[in-house]
Amino acid sequence: MNQHSSIKGRGSLIERATQIYDFTAALKGRAAPAVDVPADAPLPPPVEMPAAPGAPDAPVQRAPAWTGPVQPIDRDALAQGGFLLPEGPVTVMSEEFRLLKRDLLAQLRDNARGNRILVCSPNSGEGKSFCAINLALSLAAEKDLEILLVDADFGSPSIPQSLGLNPGPGLMDALADPVIAIEDCIIRTDLPSLSVLPAGQRSNNDTEYLASSRTQTLLARLTEGRPERVLIFDSPPLLGASPAAVLAGHAAIALLVVQADRTSESAVREAASLLKGGAQVRLLLNAARFTTGRHFGHYHDKGEGRG
């Protein structure tokens, strides 16, 4: 998604990735291993029965607004890291992410799992955090969406630092301590449509906390009654830590980032097998340089923005 290897052909980075890696069979393989939930984990919320015919409609529950202090995004840090810049010039990379988000938004429409995207990779260093941040920045440019970028890489959190934000309590703190309200952990940014949820304190039971019913309760508290909210999770590597496979069970789409000329097909197959039975799995090709195909930058450089 940034540069390096040369790829020929047409189609989006998702389409090109599926041409390179045949991972369909892996999705028919084994699922993620079961996890033991602690005995003191909260009980699932009660099932709500539909109202009897003629009964008055129950009030629609709506997730609380995020009202914490605003922190400015460090634009210089973004530029130095090669990320998209809010309101920055149109580039080849920004247009690729525009195409990506259009595809993902179409898949999310009316999805029973909600507006939740997991960005993961087989191993570390393949660009998942880079892609998660750029996807969040691109989605935040939409006029009618609220984007929450969740740093769920508990072992190696990097999202707040990449954006120049000061992290505080985060997702794992809210999962471990019922007294902590998850909305109070959210960092609002000076980009009004983008907020960040830090990872929080690392726990030796992060997988078990994520597998508990409390995770679903907290995610519902973030999005209930707000279809405009989209959650993007930056997860740990699938082959290096178990939480990623559990997180996939809470997502509608799992975006599996593979790095051109680095990620092996065997690693892709193994990672995809851990996502079996959960979210829709899509491959995203990162660090590719195209020798043919689109020329977005040239079009906008010529000032042909109308038409």
Side-chain angles (χ1 to χ4, degrees), residues 200-233:
Q201 292 293 323
R202 188 173 183 179
S203 167
N204 292 328
N205 297 311
D206 48 5
T207 300
E208 288 75 20
Y209 279 123
L210 290 171
S212 72
S213 61
R214 180 162 172 76
T215 298
Q216 188 62 37
T217 300
L218 291 183
L219 295 181
R221 183 165 178 81
L222 291 173
T223 58
E224 188 176 23
R226 293 186 181 266
E228 73 278 7
R229 286 185 176 174
V230 178
L231 272 56
I232 302 173
F233 297 88

Side-chain angles (χ1 to χ4, degrees), residues 179-204:
V179 175
I180 297 177
I182 192 167
E183 60 269 20
D184 292 340
C185 301
I186 292 173
I187 302 171
R188 294 191 298 154
T189 74
D190 59 346
L191 196 59
S193 52
L194 177 63
S195 298
V196 173
L197 177 60
Q201 292 293 323
R202 188 173 183 179
S203 167
N204 292 328

